[in-house]
Amino acid sequence: MKKILVLIFILSLTINSNAQTNLTSRDSINVFYDSLFNTLKLDYLYKSEVNWTALESETRDNLNQFSDFKSSLAQTTVLFDKIKATHCQLFYNDTIYTATYNGPTEKDFSEQWIKKYVTNPSFEVKVLDNNYGYILMPSMNFEDVSPENISKIAQPMYDQIAKIKSNNKLKGWIIDLRFNSGGHVYPMLLALYDFLGNNTVWGELNIKRTITSTISLNNGKYLQNKEVKYSINPAGKLLDKSKIAIITNIGTGSSGEITAIAFKERKNTIFIGENTNGLTTTNDKRDLPFELYMALTTGYDCDRSGKFYKTIVPDILVSKQDNFDNLLLDKNIQEAIKWMNKK
């Protein structure tokens, strides 16, 4: 298990047989890389730091070694390495091309974490010791990002939380992001709406660290620059004043980090665990020829006040002291409970 996780969201797409035939020609290689370079030069966050003339010339020379389109896509890894595009991904059929992987490996995690990770953890919500709500918010990888599908995914998670909220008087809640390495942030934040309330929760900065996009929640709606994108049907009172402990580790990345960032500047909130992975840049989908597409890094993630975090540093450091067999013996959760019981 050399790569314990890949900090990207994994989607699938089908390329029809006609397109598959077209992808075998030299012309297809040229058409594709023309489009890829145009996309990168137009919107890549660090575009001004790249010598595009030299890089494109070098890439064209390297592409001469490939006789078919599919094999030529291996050059995108070299290209991403050259421009330090560590958060960009290119999607072709069931294959994802990224920069050379330098992320966490098995040695960076506890045995308990690995044991839980291989089970492909799903969303969980429960009550611990009759006093503390516990939510495990994992990665969420899927292709359909229509408003209907986002609501379909987010609403049941929200409802589970709301049920426990209405049936228990709790001292606080623990939100566990240790298995959240990325994916789509929309259902994550909608499911956690009660804790975030009607507020701006995160945003995007450009290369000059100026805000270009603001994300807010309001009455169960997920808004980008005040435009409603997705929604759930909320129920009951908000929990935006409740005590919240956010647990992170080196595996928390991308949209997992955005979820953590959404709780920055929130009162009665503490961060426990390890530094996050550091994929705190915003990716946006870009379509490319032959039904390929890429996740293109276009900005920096920021909190509700506009602050950028290269990585999220916990208030209380806990490393490799996980216990998913008995959460009450988990050192992160013990620290959260200790904090919640302080007056």
Side-chain angles (χ1 to χ4, degrees), residues 5 59 111 195 205 214 221-222 241 249-250 272 295 323:
L5 68 151
T59 301
E111 290 184 6
F195 307 109
L205 308 173
T214 300
K221 297 179 177 63
Y222 183 104
K241 302 296 191 298
N249 67 357
I250 188 63
I272 299 171
N323 193 323

Side-chain angles (χ1 to χ4, degrees), residues 53-89:
T53 301
L55 180 60
E56 189 164 1
S57 177
E58 178 185 346
T59 301
R60 299 290 183 183
D61 288 341
N62 291 341
L63 288 171
N64 289 327
Q65 66 184 293
F66 300 106
S67 59
D68 66 274
F69 179 84
K70 183 176 181 180
S71 62
S72 78
L73 294 178
Q75 188 63 31
T76 60
T77 292
V78 178
L79 176 58
F80 289 158
D81 285 346
K82 292 278 186 180
I83 64 175
K84 300 179 181 179
T86 55
H87 200 190
C88 288
Q89 301 102 34

Side-chain angles (χ1 to χ4, degrees), residues 96-120:
I96 303 168
Y97 297 87
T98 67
T100 301
Y101 182 79
N102 290 310
T105 59
E106 185 174 349
K107 65 180 177 61
D108 296 303
F109 299 93
S110 68
E111 290 184 6
Q112 275 276 319
W113 187 93
I114 294 169
K115 178 182 175 182
K116 179 80 171 180
Y117 172 79
V118 298
T119 68
N120 191 26

Side-chain angles (χ1 to χ4, degrees), residues 189-190 193 197-203 213-230:
L189 296 186
L190 284 171
Y193 163 67
N198 300 319
N199 290 294
T200 296
V201 290
W202 72 283
S213 181
T214 300
I215 305 300
S216 58
L217 298 175
N218 191 290
N219 195 30
K221 297 179 177 63
Y222 183 104
L223 301 94
Q224 182 173 6
N225 296 329
K226 299 183 179 180
E227 179 185 354
V228 177
K229 295 292 186 179
Y230 310 104

Side-chain angles (χ1 to χ4, degrees), residues 84-223:
K84 300 179 181 179
T86 55
H87 200 190
C88 288
Q89 301 102 34
L90 175 70
F91 297 85
Y92 167 70
N93 218 355
D94 292 327
T95 304
I96 303 168
Y97 297 87
T98 67
T100 301
Y101 182 79
N102 290 310
T105 59
E106 185 174 349
K107 65 180 177 61
D108 296 303
F109 299 93
S110 68
E111 290 184 6
Q112 275 276 319
W113 187 93
I114 294 169
K115 178 182 175 182
K116 179 80 171 180
Y117 172 79
V118 298
T119 68
N120 191 26
S122 58
F123 175 80
E124 296 178 25
V125 57
K126 62 182 72 174
V127 176
L128 302 179
D129 199 28
N130 298 316
N131 282 302
Y132 314 99
Y134 172 82
I135 300 166
L136 190 154
M137 184 63 73
S139 302
M140 294 190 183
N141 307 305
F142 49 88
E143 184 175 357
D144 183 358
V145 293
S146 66
E148 295 77 15
N149 194 51
I150 297 300
S151 295
K152 182 179 178 181
I153 294 169
Q155 188 71 55
M157 294 191 295
Y158 174 86
D159 290 344
Q160 289 183 58
I161 295 170
K163 183 177 180 180
I164 286 182
K165 171 185 72 173
S166 64
N167 292 336
N168 298 272
K169 187 176 181 180
L170 302 174
K171 293 182 177 180
W173 292 75
I174 299 162
I175 300 174
D176 194 342
L177 302 177
R178 282 176 284 182
F179 298 97
N180 196 328
S181 59
H184 295 295
V185 73
Y186 330 116
M188 301 176 194
L189 296 186
L190 284 171
L192 300 173
Y193 163 67
D194 278 350
F195 307 109
L196 293 165
N198 300 319
N199 290 294
T200 296
V201 290
W202 72 283
E204 181 178 353
L205 308 173
N206 61 19
I207 192 67
K208 296 180 180 179
R209 306 290 175 90
T210 301
I211 293 179
T212 57
S213 181
T214 300
I215 305 300
S216 58
L217 298 175
N218 191 290
N219 195 30
K221 297 179 177 63
Y222 183 104
L223 301 94

